[in-house]
Amino acid sequence: MRKRRRNGRSGGKRNLSPEMLVWMIPALALVILIAVLVFLLAGRGEKSASALSGAETGAAGTQTEPTVTETAQTAEETGETLSETAEESEETPSSAVPAEQNVAAEVGSMDDAEDPQTPSDTNGDGQTGAAVDVGALQVPEGETGDVTLGIDVSKYQGTIDWGQVKASGVEFAMIRVGYRTKSTGIIYEDPGARYNLQEATANGIKAGAYFFSSAVNRQEAQEEAAWLCSFIAKYRITYPVAYNCEDFQSADSRQYGLTKEERTQLACTFLDSVAAAGYTPMFYASRNEMEGSAQWDMETLGSRYRVWVSQYPEKPFPETPASSYSGAHAMWQYTSQGQVAGIRGSVDVNVAYFGYSKEAQAKDQNPAEIVEANPEVGMNFTEVDETVTAKDQTNLRNLPTTEGSQVVYTLKNGETAQRTATSPSGWDRVIYNGQRLYAVHSFLTTELGAKSQPAGGSGGAAGQSEGSSAEKSQGSAGAGSFQAGGLTFRTVNEAVTARDKVNLRDNPSTETGNIVGTLSYGEAVVRTGVSGSSDTGWSRLEVNGQIVYASSRLLATSMDYKEKEKPTAENPEAGMHFVAASGTVKAKSGETNLRNLPTTNEPSQVVAQLTGDATAQRLAVDPDRGWTRLSYNGQVLYAVSGYLTAAE
């Protein structure tokens, strides 16, 4: 018996009893589970070590993190969505973009319909201000706690006189460097970027930068950051570098359909790359998009980056002391309708709750290429090819503006020039004697055989000349009257421009008329009707084929009226409209200049400074120009209204 049992044990198959299976199957399963876990942990550790190595070398600009390329390739080739790779992106920090991912970008055009930023972007929600929490993010070397005043600009501000901007008190400028088109996804350089970066810093204005993104995957977000950081490397960038992404809910946007989490991840990828390149990253969005994380995950973005909030209250800063956005934010864009000397039209104005004791150095010490101003930036010229003459006579200028330009030649009726482009601003580009010059559109005609007509004749605008007396008397050209908005208008036909800037409305009323646009000094339009007096009445205008209305007292019939109405010592308030005011005021930020003329341009001089708790008596204000007439130490002086506040 024992022998048979021994032979069967060594050479035969053993039958397992049910009792043995009860404990053997669970034991086998446990062994397999342990083996799987060991394998996974080993792979994860290897992957984490690889990602860490990639982040360290990527920051130095020599190697990219492996997982970014893997994720981008998967999204491109297999259609994997950002949400499916979200876990991996959280595990692997973004780093600097490698040189091989840099792209070359052409200069964008002024009339690029694919530009996701528009000149009328408005992001405010009109609510009142509340206390501002700047947050406890890492403070770069040299940063101070000073509140600083700044603007943000792009091609839509045209060619800027940065010397005048500096003299107006602007301390910093956030400059748009480029954008990715919202449908085709092409990166373009903002046509004013090089000149604005060059001239802002040359005039002592500290510069920051921003990029308008329409990235749809992490590879594109890194591509945008790589291009941006490479572009600005030769410039002194002291203020933050910001990520701006808007219009993603429009059906024609390539970002349409991306989730909040996906967009947030793209912003993080961009901003982490900016930080790795040595710049201070900043996220920009409107209050409505950020409040309650409505469109962005602000718990993530607000805890990792500076935040720049856009909100336009009815009364701008400092009448409204702060944005009502409840999250931490370091910068507030409080209006898109700012007026700054040296900038034609409106501009966004910002307050930053920080400043810098000194300007940063460029990352790349090789000097940037010196560029000249492009006189047509912001003008949206459309190419034409026409032979024209003056209706009577008109000035041909070296720049498409009467402010700061020079008259090169006065074209008379019968003399011809070649019109090569027109602009909705009211200016034409012409070639005369081989020179590229500019003229007011309404003073030119293609009717070469037309004769010049005397002022007030039946020829309508044909008798006008730029800035001439004929232009001023042309209001009697058309007989008759008409009704509009409950008002009676007399018919006229004359070219006008804004004295500075004026709102254009769909009805002749500040209560029922909606603002549909603005007109700035130097932009010529046709006035077809006038109601009431020049100080209290309304004008009907034709702008780009649309009928609009504007306050008559804010219009001028002379295209160079500023030269004719320039303030002098004998007439310091020439061309201005001061209204009586009272009260005691002091400098808002502790110091402001008091001038002998209400302008920062020559021959205005700083006579005194209002500092600390020193006060002056307010006599009158010009709400349109933003100046206040004061009595100080027995003198009548002038100060910028925005730099004054009521004394307690």
Side-chain angles (χ1 to χ4, degrees):
M1 294 286 295
R2 288 181 182 176
K3 188 175 182 179
R4 285 196 300 270
R5 290 175 65 184
R6 186 165 51 246
N7 290 341
R9 192 177 190 180
S10 61
K13 293 183 180 179
R14 183 176 180 180
N15 295 323
L16 299 179
S17 67
E19 292 81 3
M20 295 176 65
L21 290 174
V22 169
W23 62 266
M24 288 185 65
I25 291 176
L28 182 60
L30 180 60
V31 170
I32 294 173
L33 178 60
I34 292 173
V36 171
L37 289 174
V38 170
F39 175 79
L40 290 177
L41 288 173
R44 185 183 183 94
E46 181 181 353
K47 177 180 175 180
S48 298
S50 175
L52 179 59
S53 173
E56 291 171 349
T57 57
T62 59
Q63 182 180 348
T64 185
E65 56 173 330
T67 54
V68 171
T69 305
E70 293 166 7
T71 303
Q73 184 177 6
T74 302
E76 287 285 324
E77 297 179 359
T78 67
E80 184 178 17
T81 64
L82 286 169
S83 60
E84 291 169 335
T85 60
E87 181 180 354
E88 181 178 359
S89 68
E90 291 171 1
E91 295 169 1
T92 310
S94 298
S95 61
V97 181
E100 59 266 23
Q101 287 194 20
N102 286 342
V103 294
E106 296 181 0
V107 178
S109 67
M110 289 308 308
D111 56 353
D112 184 4
E114 282 279 296
D115 190 340
Q117 181 175 352
T118 66
S120 59
D121 278 343
T122 55
N123 297 317
D125 55 15
Q127 297 188 11
T128 57
V132 174
D133 179 11
V134 176
L137 300 176
Q138 183 178 357
V139 177
E141 182 181 356
E143 182 175 306
T144 70
D146 298 335
V147 175
T148 51
L149 177 70
I151 57 177
D152 59 272
V153 300
S154 67
K155 67 185 182 184
Y156 298 112
Q157 276 64 54
T159 301
I160 297 173
D161 185 334
W162 286 100
Q164 290 192 47
V165 173
K166 175 63 175 178
S168 71
V170 169
E171 298 168 271
F172 72 89
M174 299 295 292
I175 295 169
R176 189 176 82 154
V177 173
Y179 61 94
R180 187 190 289 275
T181 53
K182 65 179 183 178
S183 296
T184 57
I186 301 172
I187 292 179
Y188 283 108
E189 172 188 330
D190 187 286
R194 295 176 191 267
Y195 183 80
N196 288 336
L197 287 168
Q198 168 186 293
E199 294 301 309
T201 53
N203 283 278
I205 296 174
K206 295 181 177 66
Y210 74 97
F211 184 89
F212 218 101
S213 172
S214 66
V216 296
N217 56 50
R218 296 185 67 213
Q219 184 183 32
E220 288 191 349
Q222 286 205 322
E223 183 183 60
E224 292 173 351
W227 179 87
L228 171 65
C229 293
S230 175
F231 187 99
I232 64 178
K234 294 182 179 180
Y235 298 94
R236 302 189 297 275
I237 304 299
T238 307
Y239 273 72
V241 175
Y243 175 86
N244 187 6
C245 175
E246 302 174 34
D247 202 33
F248 45 79
Q249 292 181 305
S250 296
D252 62 343
S253 170
R254 60 202 306 267
Q255 296 176 317
Y256 184 72
L258 289 180
T259 67
K260 174 173 64 178
E261 290 74 21
E262 289 169 343
R263 289 195 309 275
T264 299
Q265 184 187 336
L266 294 174
C268 289
T269 297
F270 180 99
L271 293 169
D272 285 346
S273 297
V274 165
Y279 300 102
T280 301
M282 175 176 278
F283 174 75
Y284 169 93
S286 71
R287 175 197 175 277
N288 287 342
E289 290 180 0
M290 292 194 292
E291 193 67 70
S293 291
Q295 298 294 340
W296 300 93
D297 178 3
M298 294 311 299
E299 290 188 10
T300 297
L301 294 168
S303 64
R304 294 172 61 174
Y305 317 107
R306 297 287 178 90
V307 171
W308 178 10
V309 62
S310 168
Q311 181 188 8
Y312 307 152
E314 183 175 347
K315 294 183 178 180
F317 177 86
E319 287 80 2
T320 299
S323 167
S324 62
Y325 173 54
S326 61
H329 53 287
M331 190 182 293
W332 174 29
Q333 183 190 82
Y334 62 83
T335 182
S336 64
Q337 298 299 312
Q339 295 186 41
V340 176
I343 298 179
R344 298 195 305 270
S346 59
V347 64
D348 297 337
V349 185
N350 305 272
V351 58
Y353 302 104
F354 59 93
Y356 295 91
S357 58
K358 61 181 181 179
E359 190 177 47
Q361 295 299 310
K363 307 294 183 188
D364 184 347
Q365 294 303 308
N366 294 312
E369 177 188 359
I370 302 299
V371 298
E372 299 295 329
N374 177 0
E376 297 180 6
V377 170
M379 305 294 281
N380 288 332
F381 276 92
T382 301
E383 300 297 319
V384 299
D385 186 11
E386 301 171 328
T387 302
V388 295
T389 188
K391 292 178 178 178
D392 184 1
Q393 65 178 31
T394 189
N395 291 329
L396 304 183
R397 296 176 176 268
N398 64 330
L399 299 174
T401 174
T402 56
E403 187 174 9
S405 67
Q406 296 177 347
V407 176
V408 177
Y409 183 75
T410 300
L411 189 72
K412 299 176 179 60
N413 180 257
E415 298 177 319
T416 62
Q418 199 68 17
R419 178 158 57 194
T420 60
T422 62
S423 168
S425 65
W427 287 89
D428 288 350
R429 185 206 308 143
V430 300
I431 302 297
Y432 182 78
N433 280 349
Q435 289 182 280
R436 184 176 68 176
L437 302 171
Y438 301 90
V440 175
H441 177 81
S442 59
F443 297 152
L444 297 174
T445 179
T446 56
E447 298 179 8
L448 304 183
K451 298 291 185 179
S452 173
Q453 297 207 12
S458 60
Q464 299 172 356
S465 64
E466 180 185 7
S468 68
S469 59
E471 176 188 338
K472 293 183 178 181
S473 64
Q474 194 61 37
S476 59
S481 63
F482 57 90
Q483 297 286 323
L487 301 176
T488 299
F489 287 78
R490 70 178 185 277
T491 300
V492 298
N493 188 347
E494 58 191 357
V496 296
T497 188
R499 290 185 172 273
D500 273 305
K501 188 178 72 172
V502 61
N503 288 329
L504 304 177
R505 298 177 181 270
D506 56 6
N507 279 306
S509 169
T510 56
E511 296 181 357
T512 61
N514 298 310
I515 298 175
V516 294
T518 58
L519 180 69
S520 298
Y521 175 67
E523 298 175 345
V525 297
V526 176
R527 175 159 59 186
T528 59
V530 177
S531 172
S533 69
S534 60
D535 286 335
T536 61
W538 288 86
S539 292
R540 186 178 76 162
L541 310 173
E542 288 188 9
V543 180
N544 296 332
Q546 183 180 4
I547 299 298
V548 294
Y549 300 87
S551 173
S552 295
R553 70 184 177 89
L554 302 181
L555 300 173
T557 54
S558 171
M559 294 299 112
D560 57 356
Y561 90 94
K562 284 192 175 183
E563 293 298 319
K564 299 178 180 179
E565 297 184 1
K566 182 177 291 186
T568 63
E570 295 75 23
N571 186 13
E573 297 176 10
M576 303 188 73
H577 297 276
F578 278 90
V579 294
S582 60
T584 303
V585 296
K586 64 179 182 179
K588 182 179 299 179
S589 59
E591 181 179 277
T592 192
N593 292 330
L594 303 182
R595 295 176 172 270
N596 63 331
L597 300 176
T599 175
T600 58
N601 299 324
E602 293 182 354
S604 172
Q605 296 179 346
V606 176
V607 177
Q609 286 188 321
L610 199 60
T611 60
D613 292 327
T615 61
Q617 194 68 28
R618 181 164 48 198
L619 303 177
V621 296
D622 183 337
D624 303 316
R625 301 283 188 87
W627 285 89
T628 295
R629 185 199 305 151
L630 302 168
S631 174
Y632 179 75
N633 287 346
Q635 291 181 283
V636 175
L637 300 173
Y638 301 89
V640 176
S641 300
Y643 296 156
L644 300 173
T645 187
E648 297 180 356

